[in-house]
Every structure is written in C-alpha cells, then in structure tokens.
Amino acid sequence: MLQEHFAAPARIVITVSDTHFGDFKHNLGMVPGPVWNAPDVLARTGAFPAPGSTAGGRTAYSTSKLAAIYLVHEYARRLPAGVDAIAYNPGFVPGTGLARNAGPLSRFAMRRVLPVLALTPFATGRGAAGRYLADVVLGTTAAPTGSYVDRAEVARSSRESYDPRRERELWDAVERFTVAHAA
C-alpha cells in the first residue's frame, strides 16, 4: 500500500536480531531459536507454547526477527530500483528496555550489570548501535538491497532466513492483514 509513495533514492532499514540464528554463538543461549509456522498461525495469540512464559515470549521475538528478514528479502525483489531494503542487526544492546517486562532481577541485571558487556565483542553499547544504524540509513555502510548488516558489516544471515517460498507466503499474508486493517 505504501509502495507508490517510495521514490528513489531511498533506503528502508528494518531492525532485526541475530537471535534468528537460534544458536549459542549468536545469543549465548538466552533466547530460543525461531519456530516458523504459517503466517496465519503466527499472527494468532498463543502461537507459541507457553505464551505467557519468558521462553514463549523470547521464541516469538526470535521468530519475528526471522520474519523481518524474510520481508526485507521480499521487499528487495519487489521495490523499484533505487529503493533499497536492508536488515540491520545492532547485536545485543544492554541498557535498553529489552527486559522491561522481565522480573526484577533480570531488569536490574539488564540496566546495571550487563552494560559492562558493551566493552566486549559480546554486546554493543547504545551509542555505537545508534551510530551503526545511522551509517546504514545514510548509506555510509555500503549494503546492497536485501542485505543483512550485523553492526557495521554486511554479513550472511542464518541459513533458514533464505527461503523464497516463506518470503512470498509472508508477503502475501502481510498484504491480507494490512488490507483488512486499513479498511
């Protein structure tokens, strides 16, 4: 519905997460990997086991980030030349509101303890994440349409994130959902 409003040159940047990899290397075991299903199923409340649990919420999170990458790939195929779609992963950014609905201990750790990780390769500080994002948006980080940018580098997203059938299926579902809500 918005496609006719895009004019080249333009860049659409969608924030994703390396949690979509679903492995220890990318999330230190803190977030379960994505559990893909048909978009009509994923759009329903309770699409994941134990929906009120932390694990259920985190599974929904990683799955939504995989879906965002699918949409970036489909945007890259469908948008006119000069209108680029990029997936940007800031990495783990402690000190944000990511744990705002967690228990008191997790919230304390996220605000007061884990920001120290930004001094290591395991996390990104809020300022650095913002600079990386600005570089992607402004084109300072050279990234062709459909790219996955991990912090400041173009990289490959997970093997699972390259599935043209799922990408088309998700695109069609999003169009149906959008038209239904726009009416």
Side-chain angles (χ1 to χ4, degrees):
M1 291 174 55
L2 293 175
Q3 187 168 340
E4 64 197 38
H5 300 286
F6 297 133
R11 187 166 265 212
I12 300 165
V13 179
I14 298 177
T15 303
V16 298
S17 169
D18 51 6
T19 61
H20 83 279
F21 280 90
D23 61 10
F24 187 83
K25 175 184 174 191
H26 289 92
N27 67 45
L28 303 175
M30 295 189 294
V31 180
V35 177
W36 190 255
N37 209 325
D40 291 300
V41 172
L42 294 173
R44 283 186 255 161
T45 302
F48 301 96
S53 70
T54 300
R58 289 179 180 171
T59 302
Y61 178 82
S62 64
T63 305
S64 74
K65 298 307 180 176
L66 175 63
I69 295 171
Y70 287 152
L71 288 177
V72 165
H73 293 162
E74 198 63 21
Y75 279 131
R77 278 191 282 279
R78 292 174 183 251
L79 292 173
V83 180
D84 298 335
I86 311 292
Y88 165 67
N89 168 41
F92 175 55
V93 185
T96 64
L98 185 61
R100 67 185 158 275
N101 295 326
L105 184 59
S106 293
R107 285 194 317 268
F108 174 80
M110 189 67 126
R111 279 194 314 264
R112 305 285 183 219
V113 178
L114 295 178
V116 173
L117 285 178
L119 302 173
T120 73
F122 297 111
T124 309
R126 290 182 297 181
R131 283 189 303 279
Y132 296 151
L133 173 59
D135 287 345
V136 173
V137 169
L138 297 172
T140 305
T141 298
T145 192
S147 292
Y148 174 78
V149 177
D150 183 16
R151 296 164 187 89
E153 304 287 329
V154 175
R156 291 215 24 104
S157 52
S158 70
R159 181 176 297 148
E160 185 179 9
S161 72
Y162 297 95
D163 187 329
R165 183 189 57 76
R166 286 181 179 178
E167 293 162 4
R168 278 189 307 278
E169 179 184 42
L170 181 59
W171 179 276
D172 293 343
V174 168
E175 280 193 332
R176 277 195 331 272
F177 300 155
T178 303
V179 168
H181 289 288

